């Protein structure tokens, strides 16, 4: 309500107004992935870091990361999950399948990571371990083209150097 003490208003019934607007939360969830080392010997671990970000402007609610695990590498473990996230358990040695991790929300301008390891199988020698991740949210997205990422890690022959010494003594 607006009133003036200096100017008389002959119609005070029209001195107020209201506006109703609907605000819709919108986000831009992103996915990125790195693999270390960039080339790996069969049987040696690859450390993956999947990064799920939110470019905003709102908080992304109910964020899920689904990582499609390669069919030529065995899962070792999840090393860490940031931001209060959690991952569904996977048995060590599992080949293929998915790693699914969830966060209640990711604030605008923030990112969360999952750090995990896999070991290429012997039959992966000469090929690549391809690993893909995708992110989703329950919040309306402005751009879904950047919600997935893939890494390819070439696998070389295992580097083995085994020495066996056997000693036997005569039995009495």
């Amino acid at each position: 309500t607006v009133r003036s003490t200096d100017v008389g208003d002959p119609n005070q019934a029209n001195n107020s107004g209201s506006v109703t607007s609907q605000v819709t939360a919108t986000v831009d969830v992103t996915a990125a992935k790195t693999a270390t080392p960039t080339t790996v010997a069969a049987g040696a671990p690859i450390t993956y870091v999947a990064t799920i970000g939110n470019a905003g402007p709102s908080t992304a609610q109910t964020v899920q990361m689904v990582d499609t695990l390669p069919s030529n590498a065995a899962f070792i473990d999840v090393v860490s999950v940031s931001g209060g996230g959690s991952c569904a358990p996977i048995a060590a040695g599992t080949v293929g399948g998915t790693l699914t991790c969830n966060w209640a929300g990711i604030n605008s301008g923030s990112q969360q990571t999952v750090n995990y390891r896999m070991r290429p199988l012997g039959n992966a020698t000469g090929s690549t371990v391809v690993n893909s991740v995708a992110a989703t949210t329950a919040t309306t997205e402005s751009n879904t083209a950047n919600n997935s990422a893939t890494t390819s890690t070439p696998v070389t022959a295992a580097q083995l150097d085994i020495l066996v010494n056997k000693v036997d003594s005569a039995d009495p």
Side-chain angles (χ1 to χ4, degrees), residues 43-85:
I46 302 172
T47 299
Y48 290 105
V49 178
T51 303
I52 308 303
N54 176 14
S58 303
T59 297
Q61 301 293 332
T62 315
V63 179
Q64 184 174 74
M65 177 202 90
V66 177
D67 194 303
T68 303
L69 302 176
S71 60
N72 59 349
F75 184 80
I76 299 172
D77 61 0
V78 172
V79 177
S80 64
V81 183
S82 69

Side-chain angles (χ1 to χ4, degrees), residues 41-46 48 72-76 95 117-122 129:
I46 302 172
Y48 290 105
N72 59 349
F75 184 80
I76 299 172
V95 175
R117 300 180 307 159
M118 297 194 73
R119 185 180 314 278
L121 302 174
V129 174

Side-chain angles (χ1 to χ4, degrees), residues 11-171:
N11 182 3
Q12 294 195 12
N14 65 359
N15 290 0
S16 65
S18 65
V19 174
T20 302
S21 35
Q22 182 175 351
V23 177
T24 302
T26 304
V27 298
D28 180 15
V29 170
T30 61
K33 181 169 213 130
T34 61
T36 306
T38 55
T39 300
V40 66
I46 302 172
T47 299
Y48 290 105
V49 178
T51 303
I52 308 303
N54 176 14
S58 303
T59 297
Q61 301 293 332
T62 315
V63 179
Q64 184 174 74
M65 177 202 90
V66 177
D67 194 303
T68 303
L69 302 176
S71 60
N72 59 349
F75 184 80
I76 299 172
D77 61 0
V78 172
V79 177
S80 64
V81 183
S82 69
S86 64
C87 297
I90 297 178
T94 298
V95 175
T98 57
L99 172 63
T100 303
C101 304
N102 297 285
W103 293 268
I106 299 177
N107 292 331
S108 176
S110 297
Q111 61 185 23
Q112 304 302 338
T113 60
V114 179
N115 184 335
Y116 58 99
R117 300 180 307 159
M118 297 194 73
R119 185 180 314 278
L121 302 174
N123 63 5
T125 300
S127 65
T128 58
V129 174
V130 178
N131 189 239
S132 300
V133 65
T136 59
T137 178
T139 309
T140 301
E141 281 226 54
S142 61
N143 178 11
T144 57
N146 56 5
N147 287 25
S148 61
T150 300
T151 61
S152 296
T153 306
V155 180
T156 61
Q159 300 297 314
L160 301 175
D161 186 12
I162 299 175
L163 175 63
V164 178
N165 285 323
K166 185 174 181 179
V167 176
D168 189 21
S169 58
D171 293 332

